[in-house]
Amino acid sequence: MDENVIIIAGQKIKETVALRASMIIGISLIIMVFILAVLLIVTMVKISNLNKKYAAFMKGANGKDLESSILSRFKDIDKMKADIEYMSGKLNIACETLLTTYQKMSIIKYDAFKEMGGKLSFSLAMLDDKNNGYILTSVHTRDGCYTYVKEIIKGESFVVLAEEERKALEEAKNKRNYMG
């Protein structure tokens, strides 16, 4: 044997090749041990945090106390569900009621008799969701004030409307429905 040869598993291997292979395997093992150590530390920190949370959760409680606490929470949840159903019913009633209220309004002020002292006359249109309602017109003169009411059904009047009343009606019909 002229060179340093090692026999491993029945095969002849040069000593330098075996040394290199051993060094590579050794370095690989050191790196894997380092990675495992880091993972172990991270796991220990997480377990420690979990133990702290568990201790805080179980502080002063045994099995019966914990069970009664959970049952109490379930009762609270059931009561909240009942309250929500009750409030939902009340809210539906309120919404239905609001649909019949006057939601769309418009007022037109004007001078009924030109140059008689300002815009003291007006037409006020008040409509619900279905454009049903009234037009209230007040005409101001020197002798007094006269008020008229005209019924509106589905956005139409069966009585002839003055120009200002038509304008107030159209503006009210075009207003946004607050419940829609």
Side-chain angles (χ1 to χ4, degrees):
M1 294 198 171
D2 50 295
E3 284 188 29
N4 294 337
V5 175
I6 300 174
I7 298 174
I8 297 177
Q11 293 192 3
K12 295 181 182 179
I13 300 175
K14 291 184 180 179
E15 191 175 301
T16 56
V17 173
L19 184 60
R20 280 187 195 155
S22 298
M23 286 179 58
I24 291 173
I25 292 172
I27 291 173
S28 298
L29 288 175
I30 291 172
I31 291 173
M32 288 179 20
V33 167
F34 178 74
I35 291 172
L36 289 174
V38 169
L39 289 175
L40 179 65
I41 292 171
V42 168
T43 304
M44 289 175 60
V45 168
K46 286 185 177 183
I47 289 174
S48 173
N49 289 338
L50 186 60
N51 281 336
K52 287 177 187 175
K53 288 178 183 178
Y54 178 75
F57 178 71
M58 295 301 287
K59 186 174 184 180
N62 58 27
K64 289 211 180 261
D65 291 341
L66 187 58
E67 180 183 0
S68 66
S69 176
I70 290 172
L71 290 176
S72 172
R73 295 295 181 231
F74 281 136
K75 285 179 186 175
D76 291 346
I77 289 171
D78 290 341
K79 184 178 180 329
M80 282 190 264
K81 281 183 179 178
D83 290 346
I84 288 171
E85 287 178 20
Y86 174 77
M87 296 301 275
S88 179
K90 290 293 185 182
L91 184 60
N92 286 337
I93 292 170
C95 287
E96 288 174 14
T97 303
L98 282 174
L99 290 176
T100 62
T101 61
Y102 298 122
Q103 303 175 30
K104 304 184 223 178
M105 296 177 208
S106 177
I107 188 165
I108 303 295
K109 293 183 72 175
Y110 59 96
D111 188 357
F113 302 101
K114 308 295 182 222
E115 302 174 11
M116 286 281 297
K119 294 184 175 185
L120 297 177
S121 300
F122 65 89
S123 291
L124 171 65
M126 297 183 296
L127 304 175
D128 66 5
D129 180 51
K130 296 177 181 167
N131 289 330
N132 296 323
Y134 299 95
I135 294 179
L136 178 68
T137 300
S138 178
V139 180
H140 179 73
T141 67
R142 280 188 185 170
D143 297 330
C145 183
Y146 302 94
T147 304
Y148 306 95
V149 175
K150 296 180 182 175
E151 186 176 21
I152 305 298
I153 299 172
K154 295 183 182 175
E156 301 292 327
S157 172
F158 297 106
V159 179
V160 177
L161 298 177
E163 178 184 338
E164 293 82 5
E165 292 170 328
R166 274 195 310 274
K167 189 174 180 182
L169 177 61
E170 287 306 312
E171 282 185 14
K173 285 185 346 186
N174 292 328
K175 293 247 173 138
R176 185 175 157 259
N177 175 353
Y178 296 108
M179 294 301 294

